[in-house]
Amino acid sequence: QVQLVESGGGLVQPGGSLRLSCAASGSIFSINDMGWYRQAPGKQRELVASITSGGSTDYADSVKGRFTISRDNAKNTAYLQMNTLKPEDTAVYYCKARVITQTGSGYLIWGQGTQVTVSS
């Protein structure tokens, strides 16, 4: 069984920073793409940033220049550094990963989400 656990969310003032972590655990052989998504109340879940196993990244236009996605393949962990946060960044942030297990099975795994609230 493979699971993703997010951490690092919380309440921050506008202009502040947070760093989210997404740790994968279980019978993992490799992890392909990893991504961060967010869902605000009443809105659809949207892609925030993604990163391939080789380190190529992609960002939503709304976060370019403010957010940075990275990963530590040795730790099976992805990070999202969020700077210059705005109230419109308030949402539940979810991690997603394409995982290959030790038995050779492939899974698309979601974490449980972590709340980010940007407010004064």
Side-chain angles (χ1 to χ4, degrees), residues 26-119:
S27 180
I28 298 170
F29 175 75
S30 65
I31 302 177
N32 296 330
D33 295 356
M34 300 185 79
W36 286 97
Y37 291 71
R38 66 186 180 187
Q39 187 166 19
K43 295 188 177 182
Q44 290 187 332
R45 190 173 297 189
E46 62 175 358
L47 175 66
V48 175
S50 63
I51 185 167
T52 68
S53 57
S56 296
T57 59
D58 191 25
Y59 296 92
D61 288 343
S62 59
V63 306
K64 283 181 180 177
R66 300 188 298 123
F67 290 11
T68 302
I69 188 171
S70 61
R71 63 190 286 174
D72 185 334
N73 291 330
K75 295 182 178 180
N76 290 329
T77 300
Y79 305 95
L80 186 68
Q81 178 66 44
M82 304 186 294
N83 298 329
T84 319
L85 282 160
K86 305 175 181 180
E88 50 264 43
D89 294 318
T90 296
V92 178
Y93 283 70
Y94 297 91
C95 179
K96 185 182 80 172
R98 297 183 185 276
V99 176
I100 307 297
T101 67
Q102 296 286 353
T103 61
S105 298
Y107 297 94
L108 186 61
I109 308 294
W110 287 90
Q112 82 288 353
T114 185
Q115 177 70 46
V116 172
T117 303
V118 184
S119 175

Coordinates of all heavy atoms in Angstrom, one line a residue, residues 26-119:
G26 N 5.5 3.5 1.6 CA 5.0 2.2 1.2 C 5.9 1.5 0.3 O 7.1 1.8 0.3
S27 N 5.4 0.5 -0.4 CA 6.2 -0.4 -1.3 C 6.5 0.3 -2.6 O 5.9 -0.1 -3.6 CB 5.5 -1.7 -1.5 OG 6.3 -2.6 -2.3
I28 N 7.4 1.3 -2.6 CA 7.6 2.1 -3.8 C 8.8 1.7 -4.5 O 9.9 1.5 -3.9 CB 7.7 3.6 -3.4 CG1 6.5 4.1 -2.7 CG2 8.1 4.5 -4.6 CD1 6.6 5.4 -2.1
F29 N 8.7 1.5 -5.8 CA 9.9 1.3 -6.7 C 10.4 2.6 -7.3 O 11.5 2.9 -7.3 CB 9.5 0.3 -7.8 CG 10.7 0.1 -8.8 CD1 11.8 -0.7 -8.4 CD2 10.6 0.6 -10.0 CE1 12.8 -0.9 -9.3 CE2 11.6 0.4 -10.9 CZ 12.7 -0.3 -10.6
S30 N 9.4 3.3 -7.8 CA 9.8 4.6 -8.4 C 8.5 5.5 -8.4 O 7.4 5.1 -8.3 CB 10.3 4.5 -9.8 OG 9.4 4.0 -10.7
I31 N 8.8 6.8 -8.5 CA 7.7 7.8 -8.6 C 8.0 8.6 -9.9 O 9.1 9.2 -10.0 CB 7.6 8.7 -7.4 CG1 7.4 7.9 -6.1 CG2 6.5 9.8 -7.6 CD1 7.4 8.7 -4.8
N32 N 7.0 8.7 -10.7 CA 7.1 9.5 -12.0 C 6.7 10.9 -11.7 O 7.3 11.6 -10.8 CB 6.3 8.8 -13.1 CG 6.8 7.5 -13.4 OD1 8.0 7.2 -13.3 ND2 5.9 6.6 -13.9
D33 N 5.7 11.4 -12.3 CA 5.3 12.8 -12.1 C 4.8 13.0 -10.7 O 4.1 12.2 -10.2 CB 4.3 13.3 -13.1 CG 4.8 13.3 -14.5 OD1 6.0 13.0 -14.7 OD2 4.1 13.5 -15.5
M34 N 5.0 14.2 -10.1 CA 4.4 14.6 -8.9 C 3.8 16.0 -9.1 O 4.4 16.8 -9.9 CB 5.4 14.6 -7.7 CG 6.0 13.3 -7.4 SD 7.1 13.3 -6.0 CE 5.8 13.2 -4.6
G35 N 2.7 16.3 -8.4 CA 2.1 17.6 -8.7 C 1.4 18.1 -7.4 O 1.0 17.3 -6.5
W36 N 1.2 19.4 -7.4 CA 0.4 20.0 -6.4 C -0.8 20.6 -7.0 O -0.7 21.3 -8.1 CB 1.2 21.1 -5.7 CG 2.2 20.6 -4.7 CD1 3.6 20.4 -5.0 CD2 2.0 20.2 -3.4 NE1 4.2 19.9 -3.9 CE2 3.3 19.8 -2.9 CE3 0.9 20.1 -2.5 CZ2 3.5 19.3 -1.6 CZ3 1.1 19.7 -1.2 CH2 2.3 19.3 -0.8
Y37 N -2.0 20.4 -6.4 CA -3.2 20.9 -6.9 C -3.9 21.7 -5.7 O -3.5 21.5 -4.6 CB -4.2 19.8 -7.3 CG -3.8 19.1 -8.6 CD1 -2.7 18.2 -8.6 CD2 -4.5 19.2 -9.8 CE1 -2.3 17.6 -9.7 CE2 -4.1 18.6 -10.9 CZ -3.0 17.8 -10.9 OH -2.6 17.1 -12.0
R38 N -4.8 22.5 -6.0 CA -5.6 23.2 -4.9 C -7.0 23.3 -5.3 O -7.4 23.3 -6.5 CB -5.0 24.6 -4.6 CG -5.1 25.6 -5.8 CD -4.3 26.9 -5.4 NE -4.5 27.9 -6.5 CZ -3.8 29.0 -6.5 NH1 -2.9 29.3 -5.5 NH2 -3.9 29.9 -7.4
Q39 N -7.8 23.4 -4.3 CA -9.3 23.5 -4.4 C -9.8 24.5 -3.4 O -9.7 24.3 -2.2 CB -10.0 22.2 -4.3 CG -11.5 22.3 -4.7 CD -12.1 20.9 -4.9 OE1 -11.6 19.9 -4.4 NE2 -13.2 20.9 -5.5
A40 N -10.3 25.6 -3.9 CA -10.9 26.7 -3.1 C -12.4 26.4 -2.9 O -13.0 25.7 -3.8 CB -10.7 28.0 -3.6
P41 N -13.0 26.9 -1.9 CA -14.5 26.6 -1.7 C -15.3 27.1 -2.9 O -15.1 28.2 -3.4 CB -14.8 27.5 -0.5 CG -13.6 27.5 0.3 CD -12.5 27.6 -0.8
G42 N -16.1 26.2 -3.4 CA -17.0 26.5 -4.6 C -16.3 26.5 -5.9 O -16.9 26.8 -6.9
K43 N -15.0 26.1 -5.9 CA -14.3 26.1 -7.2 C -13.8 24.6 -7.5 O -13.7 23.8 -6.6 CB -13.1 27.0 -7.1 CG -13.5 28.5 -7.0 CD -12.3 29.4 -7.2 CE -12.7 30.9 -7.1 NZ -11.6 31.8 -7.3
Q44 N -13.4 24.4 -8.8 CA -12.9 23.1 -9.2 C -11.4 23.0 -8.7 O -10.7 24.0 -8.6 CB -13.0 23.0 -10.7 CG -14.4 22.8 -11.2 CD -14.4 22.5 -12.7 OE1 -13.5 22.8 -13.4 NE2 -15.5 21.7 -13.1
R45 N -11.0 21.8 -8.6 CA -9.6 21.6 -8.2 C -8.7 21.9 -9.5 O -9.1 21.6 -10.6 CB -9.4 20.1 -7.9 CG -8.0 19.8 -7.3 CD -7.9 18.4 -6.8 NE -8.8 18.1 -5.7 CZ -8.9 17.0 -5.0 NH1 -8.0 16.0 -5.2 NH2 -9.7 16.8 -4.0
E46 N -7.6 22.6 -9.2 CA -6.8 23.1 -10.3 C -5.3 22.7 -10.0 O -4.9 22.7 -8.9 CB -6.9 24.6 -10.5 CG -6.4 25.4 -9.3 CD -6.4 26.9 -9.5 OE1 -6.8 27.4 -10.7 OE2 -6.1 27.7 -8.6
L47 N -4.6 22.5 -11.2 CA -3.2 22.3 -11.1 C -2.4 23.5 -10.7 O -2.6 24.6 -11.3 CB -2.6 21.7 -12.4 CG -1.1 21.5 -12.5 CD1 -0.7 20.4 -11.5 CD2 -0.7 21.2 -13.9
V48 N -1.6 23.4 -9.7 CA -0.7 24.5 -9.3 C 0.7 24.4 -9.9 O 1.2 25.3 -10.4 CB -0.6 24.6 -7.7 CG1 0.3 25.7 -7.3 CG2 -2.0 24.8 -7.1
A49 N 1.3 23.2 -9.7 CA 2.6 23.0 -10.2 C 2.9 21.5 -10.3 O 2.3 20.7 -9.6 CB 3.7 23.6 -9.3
S50 N 3.7 21.1 -11.3 CA 4.1 19.7 -11.4 C 5.6 19.6 -11.7 O 6.2 20.5 -12.1 CB 3.3 19.1 -12.5 OG 3.6 19.7 -13.8
I51 N 6.1 18.4 -11.4 CA 7.5 18.1 -11.6 C 7.7 16.7 -12.0 O 7.1 15.8 -11.5 CB 8.3 18.4 -10.3 CG1 9.8 18.3 -10.6 CG2 7.9 17.6 -9.2 CD1 10.7 18.9 -9.5
T52 N 8.5 16.5 -13.1 CA 8.8 15.1 -13.5 C 9.9 14.5 -12.7 O 10.5 15.1 -11.9 CB 9.2 15.1 -15.0 OG1 10.5 15.8 -15.1 CG2 8.2 15.9 -15.9
S53 N 10.1 13.2 -12.9 CA 11.2 12.5 -12.2 C 12.5 13.1 -12.5 O 13.5 13.0 -11.7 CB 11.2 11.0 -12.5 OG 11.3 10.8 -13.9
G54 N 12.6 13.7 -13.7 CA 13.9 14.3 -14.1 C 14.1 15.7 -13.7 O 15.1 16.3 -13.9
G55 N 13.0 16.3 -13.1 CA 13.1 17.7 -12.5 C 12.5 18.7 -13.4 O 12.6 19.9 -13.0
S56 N 11.9 18.4 -14.5 CA 11.2 19.4 -15.3 C 9.9 19.9 -14.6 O 9.2 19.1 -14.1 CB 10.9 18.9 -16.7 OG 12.0 18.5 -17.4
T57 N 9.7 21.2 -14.6 CA 8.6 21.7 -13.9 C 7.6 22.5 -14.8 O 8.0 23.0 -15.9 CB 9.1 22.7 -12.8 OG1 9.9 23.8 -13.4 CG2 10.0 22.0 -11.8
D58 N 6.4 22.7 -14.3 CA 5.4 23.4 -14.9 C 4.5 24.1 -13.9 O 4.3 23.5 -12.8 CB 4.5 22.5 -15.8 CG 3.6 23.3 -16.7 OD1 4.0 24.5 -17.1 OD2 2.6 22.8 -17.1
Y59 N 4.1 25.3 -14.2 CA 3.3 26.1 -13.2 C 2.1 26.7 -13.8 O 2.0 27.0 -15.0 CB 4.2 27.2 -12.6 CG 5.4 26.8 -11.9 CD1 6.6 26.6 -12.5 CD2 5.3 26.5 -10.5 CE1 7.7 26.2 -11.8 CE2 6.4 26.1 -9.8 CZ 7.6 25.9 -10.5 OH 8.8 25.5 -9.8
A60 N 1.1 26.9 -13.0 CA -0.1 27.7 -13.3 C 0.3 29.1 -13.5 O 1.2 29.6 -12.7 CB -1.2 27.5 -12.3
D61 N -0.3 29.8 -14.4 CA 0.1 31.2 -14.6 C 0.0 32.0 -13.3 O 0.8 33.0 -13.1 CB -0.7 31.8 -15.7 CG -0.3 31.3 -17.1 OD1 0.8 30.7 -17.3 OD2 -1.2 31.5 -18.0
S62 N -1.0 31.7 -12.5 CA -1.3 32.5 -11.3 C -0.2 32.4 -10.3 O -0.2 33.2 -9.3 CB -2.7 32.1 -10.8 OG -2.6 30.7 -10.4
V63 N 0.6 31.4 -10.4 CA 1.7 31.2 -9.3 C 3.1 31.4 -9.8 O 4.0 31.3 -9.0 CB 1.5 29.9 -8.6 CG1 0.1 29.7 -8.1 CG2 1.9 28.7 -9.5
K64 N 3.2 31.5 -11.1 CA 4.6 31.7 -11.7 C 5.3 32.8 -11.1 O 4.8 33.9 -10.9 CB 4.5 31.9 -13.2 CG 4.2 30.6 -14.0 CD 4.1 30.9 -15.5 CE 3.8 29.6 -16.3 NZ 3.7 29.8 -17.7
G65 N 6.6 32.6 -10.7 CA 7.4 33.6 -10.1 C 7.2 33.7 -8.6 O 8.0 34.4 -7.9
R66 N 6.2 33.0 -8.0 CA 5.9 33.1 -6.6 C 6.1 31.7 -5.9 O 6.6 31.6 -4.8 CB 4.5 33.6 -6.3 CG 4.2 35.0 -6.8 CD 2.9 35.5 -6.3 NE 1.8 34.7 -6.8 CZ 0.9 34.1 -6.0 NH1 1.0 34.2 -4.7 NH2 -0.1 33.4 -6.5
F67 N 5.7 30.6 -6.7 CA 5.8 29.3 -6.1 C 6.9 28.5 -6.8 O 7.2 28.7 -8.0 CB 4.5 28.5 -6.4 CG 3.3 29.0 -5.5 CD1 3.4 30.2 -4.8 CD2 2.2 28.3 -5.5 CE1 2.3 30.6 -4.1 CE2 1.1 28.7 -4.8 CZ 1.1 29.9 -4.1
T68 N 7.5 27.6 -6.1 CA 8.6 26.7 -6.6 C 8.3 25.3 -6.2 O 8.2 25.1 -5.0 CB 10.0 27.2 -6.2 OG1 10.2 28.5 -6.6 CG2 11.0 26.3 -6.8
I69 N 8.2 24.4 -7.1 CA 8.1 23.0 -6.8 C 9.5 22.3 -6.9 O 10.3 22.7 -7.8 CB 7.1 22.3 -7.7 CG1 6.8 20.9 -7.3 CG2 7.5 22.3 -9.2 CD1 5.6 20.2 -8.0
S70 N 9.7 21.4 -6.0 CA 11.0 20.6 -6.1 C 10.7 19.2 -5.5 O 9.6 19.0 -5.0 CB 12.1 21.3 -5.3 OG 11.7 21.5 -3.9
R71 N 11.7 18.4 -5.7 CA 11.5 17.0 -5.1 C 12.9 16.5 -4.7 O 13.9 16.8 -5.3 CB 10.8 16.1 -6.1 CG 11.6 15.9 -7.4 CD 10.7 15.2 -8.4 NE 10.6 13.7 -8.1 CZ 9.7 12.9 -8.8 NH1 9.0 13.4 -9.8 NH2 9.7 11.7 -8.5
D72 N 12.8 15.5 -3.7 CA 14.0 14.8 -3.3 C 13.7 13.3 -3.6 O 12.9 12.7 -2.8 CB 14.2 15.0 -1.8 CG 15.5 14.4 -1.3 OD1 15.9 13.4 -1.9 OD2 16.0 14.9 -0.3
N73 N 14.2 12.8 -4.6 CA 13.9 11.4 -5.1 C 14.3 10.4 -4.0 O 13.7 9.4 -3.9 CB 14.5 11.1 -6.4 CG 13.8 11.9 -7.5 OD1 12.6 12.3 -7.5 ND2 14.6 12.2 -8.6
A74 N 15.4 10.7 -3.3 CA 15.9 9.7 -2.3 C 14.9 9.6 -1.1 O 14.9 8.6 -0.5 CB 17.3 10.2 -1.8
K75 N 14.2 10.7 -0.9 CA 13.2 10.7 0.2 C 11.8 10.5 -0.3 O 10.9 10.5 0.6 CB 13.3 12.0 1.0 CG 14.7 12.3 1.7 CD 14.7 13.6 2.4 CE 16.0 13.8 3.2 NZ 16.0 15.0 3.9
N76 N 11.6 10.3 -1.6 CA 10.2 10.2 -2.1 C 9.3 11.4 -1.7 O 8.2 11.1 -1.3 CB 9.6 8.9 -1.7 CG 10.3 7.7 -2.4 OD1 10.8 7.8 -3.5 ND2 10.3 6.6 -1.7
T77 N 9.9 12.5 -1.7 CA 9.2 13.7 -1.2 C 9.2 14.9 -2.2 O 10.2 15.1 -2.8 CB 9.8 14.2 0.1 OG1 9.7 13.1 1.1 CG2 9.1 15.4 0.7
A78 N 8.1 15.5 -2.3 CA 8.0 16.7 -3.1 C 7.7 17.9 -2.2 O 7.1 17.8 -1.1 CB 6.9 16.6 -4.2
Y79 N 8.1 19.1 -2.7 CA 7.9 20.3 -1.9 C 7.3 21.4 -2.7 O 7.4 21.4 -4.0 CB 9.2 20.8 -1.4 CG 10.0 19.8 -0.6 CD1 11.0 19.0 -1.2 CD2 9.8 19.6 0.8 CE1 11.7 18.1 -0.5 CE2 10.5 18.7 1.5 CZ 11.5 17.9 0.8 OH 12.2 17.0 1.5
L80 N 6.6 22.3 -2.1 CA 6.0 23.5 -2.8 C 6.4 24.7 -1.9 O 5.8 24.9 -0.8 CB 4.5 23.4 -3.0 CG 3.9 24.5 -3.8 CD1 4.4 24.4 -5.3 CD2 2.4 24.5 -3.8
Q81 N 7.3 25.5 -2.3 CA 7.7 26.7 -1.7 C 6.8 27.8 -2.2 O 6.8 28.1 -3.4 CB 9.1 27.1 -1.9 CG 9.6 28.4 -1.2 CD 9.5 28.3 0.3 OE1 10.0 27.3 0.9 NE2 9.0 29.4 0.9
M82 N 6.0 28.4 -1.3 CA 5.1 29.4 -1.7 C 5.5 30.8 -1.1 O 5.5 30.9 0.1 CB 3.6 29.0 -1.3 CG 3.2 27.7 -1.8 SD 1.5 27.3 -1.4 CE 1.6 27.2 0.4
N83 N 5.8 31.7 -1.9 CA 6.2 33.1 -1.5 C 5.2 34.1 -1.9 O 4.4 33.8 -2.9 CB 7.6 33.4 -2.0 CG 8.6 32.5 -1.5 OD1 8.6 31.9 -0.4 ND2 9.7 32.2 -2.3
T84 N 5.2 35.2 -1.3 CA 4.3 36.4 -1.7 C 2.9 35.9 -1.8 O 2.2 36.1 -2.8 CB 4.8 37.0 -3.0 OG1 6.2 37.1 -3.1 CG2 4.2 38.4 -3.2
L85 N 2.4 35.2 -0.8 CA 1.1 34.6 -0.8 C 0.0 35.7 -0.8 O 0.2 36.8 -0.2 CB 0.9 33.7 0.4 CG 1.6 32.3 0.2 CD1 1.8 31.7 1.6 CD2 0.8 31.5 -0.7
K86 N -1.0 35.4 -1.5 CA -2.2 36.3 -1.7 C -3.4 35.6 -1.1 O -3.5 34.4 -1.1 CB -2.4 36.6 -3.2 CG -1.2 37.2 -3.9 CD -1.5 37.3 -5.4 CE -0.3 37.9 -6.1 NZ -0.6 38.0 -7.6
P87 N -4.4 36.4 -0.7 CA -5.7 35.8 -0.2 C -6.3 34.8 -1.2 O -6.9 33.8 -0.8 CB -6.6 37.0 0.0 CG -5.6 38.2 0.3 CD -4.4 37.9 -0.6
E88 N -6.1 35.1 -2.5 CA -6.7 34.2 -3.5 C -5.9 32.8 -3.6 O -6.4 31.9 -4.3 CB -6.7 34.8 -4.9 CG -5.4 35.4 -5.3 CD -5.4 36.9 -5.1 OE1 -5.8 37.4 -4.0 OE2 -4.9 37.7 -6.0
D89 N -4.8 32.7 -2.9 CA -4.1 31.4 -2.8 C -4.8 30.5 -1.7 O -4.4 29.3 -1.6 CB -2.7 31.6 -2.4 CG -1.9 32.3 -3.5 OD1 -2.1 32.0 -4.7 OD2 -1.1 33.2 -3.2
T90 N -5.7 31.0 -1.0 CA -6.4 30.2 0.1 C -7.1 29.1 -0.6 O -7.9 29.2 -1.5 CB -7.4 31.1 0.8 OG1 -6.7 32.1 1.5 CG2 -8.2 30.3 1.8
A91 N -6.8 27.9 -0.1 CA -7.4 26.6 -0.6 C -6.9 25.4 0.1 O -6.0 25.6 1.0 CB -7.0 26.5 -2.1
V92 N -7.5 24.3 -0.1 CA -6.9 23.0 0.3 C -5.9 22.6 -0.8 O -6.3 22.5 -2.0 CB -8.0 22.0 0.6 CG1 -7.3 20.6 1.0 CG2 -8.9 22.4 1.6
Y93 N -4.7 22.3 -0.4 CA -3.7 21.9 -1.3 C -3.5 20.4 -1.3 O -3.3 19.8 -0.2 CB -2.4 22.6 -1.0 CG -2.4 24.1 -1.5 CD1 -3.2 25.0 -0.9 CD2 -1.6 24.5 -2.6 CE1 -3.2 26.3 -1.3 CE2 -1.7 25.8 -3.1 CZ -2.5 26.7 -2.4 OH -2.5 28.0 -2.9
Y94 N -3.5 19.8 -2.4 CA -3.4 18.3 -2.5 C -2.2 17.9 -3.3 O -1.8 18.6 -4.3 CB -4.6 17.7 -3.2 CG -5.9 17.9 -2.5 CD1 -6.7 19.0 -2.8 CD2 -6.4 17.0 -1.6 CE1 -7.9 19.2 -2.2 CE2 -7.6 17.2 -1.0 CZ -8.4 18.3 -1.3 OH -9.6 18.5 -0.6
C95 N -1.5 16.9 -2.9 CA -0.4 16.3 -3.7 C -0.9 15.1 -4.5 O -1.7 14.3 -4.0 CB 0.7 15.9 -2.7 SG 2.2 15.2 -3.4
K96 N -0.3 14.9 -5.7 CA -0.6 13.8 -6.5 C 0.7 13.2 -7.0 O 1.6 13.9 -7.3 CB -1.5 14.2 -7.7 CG -2.0 13.0 -8.5 CD -2.9 13.5 -9.7 CE -2.0 14.0 -10.8 NZ -2.9 14.3 -12.0
A97 N 0.7 11.9 -7.1 CA 1.9 11.2 -7.6 C 1.6 10.0 -8.4 O 0.6 9.3 -8.1 CB 2.8 10.8 -6.5
R98 N 2.3 9.7 -9.5 CA 2.2 8.5 -10.2 C 3.3 7.6 -9.7 O 4.5 7.8 -9.9 CB 2.4 8.8 -11.7 CG 1.3 9.7 -12.3 CD 1.5 9.9 -13.8 NE 0.5 10.8 -14.3 CZ -0.7 10.5 -14.7 NH1 -1.2 9.3 -14.5 NH2 -1.5 11.5 -15.1
V99 N 2.9 6.5 -9.1 CA 3.8 5.6 -8.3 C 3.8 4.2 -9.0 O 2.8 3.7 -9.4 CB 3.3 5.5 -6.9 CG1 4.2 4.5 -6.1 CG2 3.3 6.8 -6.2
I100 N 5.0 3.7 -9.1 CA 5.3 2.3 -9.5 C 5.7 1.5 -8.2 O 6.7 1.9 -7.6 CB 6.3 2.2 -10.6 CG1 6.0 3.1 -11.7 CG2 6.5 0.7 -11.0 CD1 4.7 2.8 -12.4
T101 N 5.0 0.5 -7.9 CA 5.3 -0.3 -6.7 C 6.4 -1.3 -7.0 O 6.8 -1.6 -8.1 CB 4.0 -1.0 -6.1 OG1 3.6 -2.0 -7.0 CG2 2.9 0.0 -5.9
Q102 N 6.8 -1.9 -5.9 CA 7.8 -3.0 -6.0 C 7.3 -4.2 -6.8 O 8.1 -4.9 -7.4 CB 8.3 -3.4 -4.6 CG 8.9 -2.4 -3.7 CD 10.3 -2.1 -4.2 OE1 10.9 -2.7 -5.1 NE2 10.9 -1.0 -3.6
T103 N 6.0 -4.4 -6.9 CA 5.5 -5.5 -7.6 C 5.2 -5.1 -9.1 O 4.7 -5.9 -9.9 CB 4.1 -5.9 -7.0 OG1 3.2 -4.8 -7.1 CG2 4.3 -6.4 -5.6
G104 N 5.5 -3.9 -9.5 CA 5.4 -3.4 -10.8 C 4.1 -2.8 -11.2 O 3.8 -2.4 -12.3
S105 N 3.2 -2.6 -10.2 CA 1.9 -2.0 -10.4 C 2.0 -0.5 -10.4 O 2.9 0.0 -9.7 CB 0.9 -2.5 -9.4 OG 0.7 -3.9 -9.4
G106 N 1.2 0.1 -11.2 CA 1.2 1.6 -11.3 C -0.1 2.2 -10.7 O -1.2 1.7 -10.9
Y107 N 0.1 3.2 -9.9 CA -1.1 3.9 -9.3 C -0.9 5.4 -9.4 O 0.2 5.9 -9.3 CB -1.1 3.5 -7.8 CG -1.3 2.0 -7.5 CD1 -0.3 1.2 -7.3 CD2 -2.6 1.5 -7.5 CE1 -0.5 -0.2 -7.1 CE2 -2.8 0.1 -7.3 CZ -1.7 -0.7 -7.1 OH -1.9 -2.0 -6.9
L108 N -2.1 6.0 -9.4 CA -2.2 7.4 -9.3 C -2.7 7.7 -7.9 O -3.9 7.4 -7.6 CB -3.2 8.0 -10.3 CG -3.3 9.5 -10.4 CD1 -1.9 10.1 -10.8 CD2 -4.3 10.0 -11.4
I109 N -1.9 8.3 -7.1 CA -2.2 8.5 -5.6 C -2.4 9.9 -5.3 O -1.7 10.8 -5.8 CB -1.0 7.9 -4.8 CG1 -0.7 6.5 -5.2 CG2 -1.4 8.0 -3.3 CD1 -1.7 5.5 -4.9
W110 N -3.4 10.2 -4.5 CA -3.7 11.5 -4.0 C -3.4 11.6 -2.5 O -3.7 10.6 -1.8 CB -5.1 12.0 -4.2 CG -5.4 12.3 -5.6 CD1 -5.9 11.5 -6.6 CD2 -5.3 13.6 -6.2 NE1 -6.1 12.1 -7.8 CE2 -5.7 13.5 -7.6 CE3 -5.0 14.9 -5.8 CZ2 -5.8 14.5 -8.5 CZ3 -5.0 15.9 -6.7 CH2 -5.4 15.8 -8.0
G111 N -2.9 12.7 -2.0 CA -2.9 12.9 -0.5 C -4.2 13.4 0.0 O -5.2 13.6 -0.7
Q112 N -4.2 13.6 1.3 CA -5.5 13.9 2.0 C -5.7 15.4 2.0 O -6.8 15.9 2.3 CB -5.5 13.4 3.5 CG -4.7 14.3 4.5 CD -3.2 14.3 4.3 OE1 -2.6 13.5 3.5 NE2 -2.5 15.2 5.0
G113 N -4.7 16.2 1.6 CA -4.9 17.7 1.5 C -4.4 18.4 2.8 O -4.5 17.8 3.9
T114 N -4.0 19.6 2.6 CA -3.6 20.5 3.7 C -4.1 21.9 3.4 O -4.0 22.4 2.3 CB -2.0 20.5 3.9 OG1 -1.7 21.2 5.1 CG2 -1.3 21.0 2.7
Q115 N -4.7 22.5 4.5 CA -5.3 23.8 4.3 C -4.3 24.9 4.3 O -3.4 24.9 5.2 CB -6.3 24.0 5.4 CG -7.0 25.4 5.4 CD -8.0 25.5 4.2 OE1 -8.8 24.6 3.9 NE2 -7.9 26.7 3.6
V116 N -4.4 25.8 3.4 CA -3.6 27.0 3.4 C -4.6 28.2 3.4 O -5.5 28.3 2.5 CB -2.7 27.1 2.1 CG1 -2.1 28.5 2.0 CG2 -1.7 26.0 2.1
T117 N -4.4 29.0 4.4 CA -5.3 30.2 4.5 C -4.4 31.5 4.5 O -3.5 31.6 5.4 CB -6.1 30.1 5.8 OG1 -6.9 28.9 5.7 CG2 -7.1 31.4 5.9
V118 N -4.7 32.4 3.6 CA -3.9 33.6 3.5 C -4.9 34.7 3.9 O -5.8 35.1 3.2 CB -3.4 33.9 2.1 CG1 -2.5 35.1 2.1 CG2 -2.6 32.6 1.7
S119 N -4.6 35.3 5.1 CA -5.6 36.3 5.6 C -4.8 37.2 6.6 O -4.0 36.7 7.4 CB -6.8 35.7 6.2 OG -7.6 36.6 6.8

